[in-house]
Amino acid sequence: MNKKKIILSFLVIIFAASLAYRLTHPYHQQKVQRLTYSGSRKRVIVKKDTGKSGDEVLKCPEVLLGLYAKRPRHHGEVIHDPFFLPEEKASGVKEPPVAQAKPPEGAVKPAEEDPRARAQRELSGFRVFGSCQEGETTMLFLERGKDIFIVRPGDKIDGKYLVKSINGHSLDLWAEEIQENIHIDLSNF
């Protein structure tokens, strides 16, 4: 314990001495009249100012929402699946079918979840963190975990919920599983 106090006091003395030296001897940058370049190039090329006014700079949006709003269309066909080996069709040897194990007779099947409760559970996983108005279309920014979704009327969420309309403080969905409209109030978000 005594050695630690000695080391601490020694470091405090060194810190105080370096601080006192820096306060009494401040660093001053030398000033020059003209900057010179002594490299291999004889001329320095300076780009002239194009004279953009402040109005032109303000017209450029900071976030390009068009990239997110107009997403590319993809077909559903799998061209090459790198996770599975291709099936060998030329092999003449057929393996006998594997006998399927029968579940024990005493096993209880789990009860099916109510579709309304499932829809409520799935939609409660989303968090609304913003919206954007582009012309007449309103886009809504949804977050689930680390995924961010941009939805607008006509889009489907998880392939189950069709976005019918997005108003200022509400979201109307059509749930295909339960064949009902779902109204979500967004005024608290």
Side-chain angles (χ1 to χ4, degrees):
M1 188 69 163
N2 208 6
K3 288 183 181 181
K4 291 181 181 179
K5 288 182 180 179
I6 293 171
I7 293 172
L8 180 64
S9 61
F10 180 70
L11 290 175
V12 168
I13 291 171
I14 290 175
F15 175 71
S18 64
L19 185 64
Y21 177 78
R22 187 49 52 203
L23 290 175
T24 58
H25 298 87
Y27 178 75
H28 294 287
Q29 176 71 37
Q30 294 180 355
K31 293 183 180 181
V32 293
Q33 293 295 330
R34 184 175 179 201
L35 295 176
T36 58
Y37 177 71
S38 60
S40 62
R41 190 188 288 182
K42 294 182 181 178
R43 288 185 288 156
V44 176
I45 300 171
V46 178
K47 292 184 179 180
K48 293 183 180 179
D49 186 20
T50 59
K52 286 187 177 179
S53 66
D55 295 337
E56 292 179 23
V57 174
L58 292 176
K59 289 180 183 176
C60 179
E62 292 181 20
V63 179
L64 301 174
L65 292 176
L67 297 174
Y68 297 109
K70 298 173 185 163
R71 60 188 176 273
R73 299 287 180 199
H74 297 287
H75 56 81
E77 180 183 346
V78 177
I79 297 171
H80 172 70
D81 192 355
F83 299 106
F84 296 101
L85 296 174
E87 295 180 10
E88 297 293 332
K89 293 182 180 179
S91 64
V93 178
K94 293 185 178 180
E95 296 181 11
V98 179
Q100 295 180 356
K102 294 182 181 178
E105 294 177 12
V108 178
K109 291 184 179 180
E112 290 188 25
E113 186 179 7
D114 181 32
R116 289 184 181 154
R118 184 180 329 125
Q120 182 179 7
R121 180 178 43 83
E122 289 175 355
L123 292 174
S124 67
F126 288 99
R127 187 176 72 90
V128 177
F129 67 92
S131 65
C132 176
Q133 183 80 24
E134 186 177 279
E136 295 294 321
T137 307
T138 302
M139 294 183 287
L140 199 62
F141 298 95
L142 301 175
E143 175 186 25
R144 179 176 57 192
K146 292 185 178 182
D147 296 329
I148 296 176
F149 302 95
I150 300 175
V151 295
R152 56 184 167 196
D155 288 347
K156 280 191 174 183
I157 300 173
D158 290 341
K160 301 175 187 176
Y161 308 105
L162 177 68
V163 178
K164 291 178 74 176
S165 66
I166 301 172
N167 298 326
H169 298 290
S170 67
L171 172 67
D172 292 321
L173 302 171
W174 171 256
E176 293 179 0
E177 289 182 347
I178 59 176
Q179 299 292 319
E180 288 184 10
N181 285 326
I182 299 174
H183 179 78
I184 300 173
D185 185 23
L186 301 175
S187 60
N188 296 334
F189 300 103

